[in-house]
Amino acid sequence: MSHTPPAATITLALSKGRIFDEIMPLLAAAGIEVLEDPEKSRKLILPTNRPEVRVVLVRASDVPTYVQYGGADMGVCGKDTLIEHSAEWGGAARSGLYLPLDLQIAKCRVSVAVRTDFDYAQAVKKGSRLKVATKYTAIAREFFASKGVHVDLIKLYGSMELAPLTGMADAIVDLVSTGNTLKANHLMEVERIMDISSHLVVNQAALKLKMAPLRRIIDAFASAIPAAS
Ligand code: PRT
Ligand code: MG
């Protein structure tokens, strides 16, 4: 059985969890209802109430890749993910991604955090070389370069909190929402690098080929975006 969709099909790439949960009201505003619960189903392609619209479930960090290569026409991912993806491609435009909307969902911030017993201000003042563990190397590199702080970046794919606790790093650059995860691990936020929310990402070629249906979805999302807070 082939899974290649008919030409008029619109494929939306989403990740499970907070983005999936928070995009549901915007999809509803566009008249789209996902027919299966991704937490219960093992399916990676989910049907919707609209025969021409389907959802593919991918890792959050794979959303820009699926959209760039046309595995999906559009997708939703965090600005953190977009910045890191774009850094690999020399900019969002060069990767063929069009970013029409900040959806104002899945909000958090990217911050620097250290152990509560680490004197970050003093280390920066002294001009010490900092070991920084992060999944967000592009964001971290740019941030510390702009401050003139020398860093050795250690790339991690998860559980950044562990790096300072094991002595592997002096600091981490990670996403923070409530701050509870930092607190539970005896870490503290010492700098806020940037605010993050999720964006709609559209494949530029798909936008030309499927202009009308994609525009309708973009416009419906635009009018249903939660008020900025
Ligand atoms: O696992 P994979 O590498 O594929 O992706 P992911 O882990 O980044 O996916 P997911 O679903 O966890 O996050 C998707 C997107 O949600 C992120 O790219 C962010 O844009 C956004 N988002 C919003 C968050 C958070 N809030 C958030 N709190 N992503 C992650 N967190 C994590 C954070 O990394 C930390 O471990 O939650 C923890 C902190 O939360 P607090 O509330 O304890 O501060
Ligand atoms: Mg995660």
Side-chain angles (χ1 to χ4, degrees):
M1 190 173 94
S2 166
H3 283 282
T4 307
T9 300
I10 289 173
T11 303
L12 173 66
L14 296 175
S15 55
K16 278 201 234 182
R18 65 192 104 225
I19 289 181
F20 189 93
D21 299 342
E22 294 188 36
I23 196 69
M24 285 304 115
L26 296 179
L27 281 178
I32 300 166
E33 201 188 314
V34 183
L35 297 178
E36 272 176 75
D37 178 351
E39 301 300 336
K40 294 191 184 124
S41 170
R42 284 170 184 272
K43 285 189 191 166
L44 296 175
I45 301 181
L46 303 180
T48 73
N49 63 325
R50 299 249 301 265
E52 79 286 12
V53 181
R54 61 182 194 161
V55 167
V56 292
L57 295 176
V58 305
R59 284 286 293 264
S61 40
D62 288 336
V63 166
T65 306
Y66 270 84
V67 176
Q68 175 173 346
Y69 290 101
D73 300 302
M74 53 186 5
V76 176
C77 66
K79 181 147 172 259
D80 47 312
T81 307
L82 279 171
I83 293 173
E84 296 297 325
H85 180 84
S86 297
E88 279 176 44
W89 287 88
R94 280 174 67 180
S95 57
L97 297 176
Y98 168 56
L99 306 173
L101 292 175
D102 178 347
L103 299 169
Q104 300 287 338
I105 60 167
K107 288 186 173 186
C108 57
R109 55 194 183 270
V110 185
S111 293
V112 183
V114 298
R115 276 163 62 148
T116 48
D117 60 3
F118 182 79
D119 193 342
Y120 175 78
Q122 177 67 12
V124 167
K125 203 169 138 204
K126 274 197 333 205
S128 314
R129 206 174 171 89
L130 288 179
K131 282 183 284 178
V132 178
T134 187
K135 180 174 161 185
Y136 307 100
T137 47
I139 294 173
R141 185 173 295 115
E142 157 72 25
F143 174 72
F144 288 109
S146 74
K147 279 176 68 86
V149 173
H150 293 287
V151 292
D152 292 317
L153 292 178
I154 303 171
K155 169 84 185 190
L156 289 177
Y157 292 89
S159 302
M160 262 78 83
E161 298 85 4
L162 209 46
L165 302 181
T166 56
M168 185 168 81
D170 303 309
I172 60 172
V173 167
D174 194 8
L175 302 176
V176 181
S177 164
T178 60
N180 290 339
T181 306
L182 293 180
K183 203 183 271 175
N185 290 293
H186 310 286
L187 301 174
M188 61 183 178
E189 193 175 1
V190 286
E191 296 214 62
R192 191 177 177 128
I193 301 180
M194 66 174 73
D195 289 327
I196 296 290
S197 53
S198 279
H199 288 244
L200 186 63
V201 197
V202 183
N203 177 290
Q204 283 175 351
L207 188 62
K208 289 193 189 111
L209 291 169
K210 306 175 189 177
M211 177 67 109
L214 288 177
R215 268 282 154 221
R216 269 198 297 278
I217 295 175
I218 296 169
D219 292 345
F221 281 0
S223 50
I225 289 172
S229 58

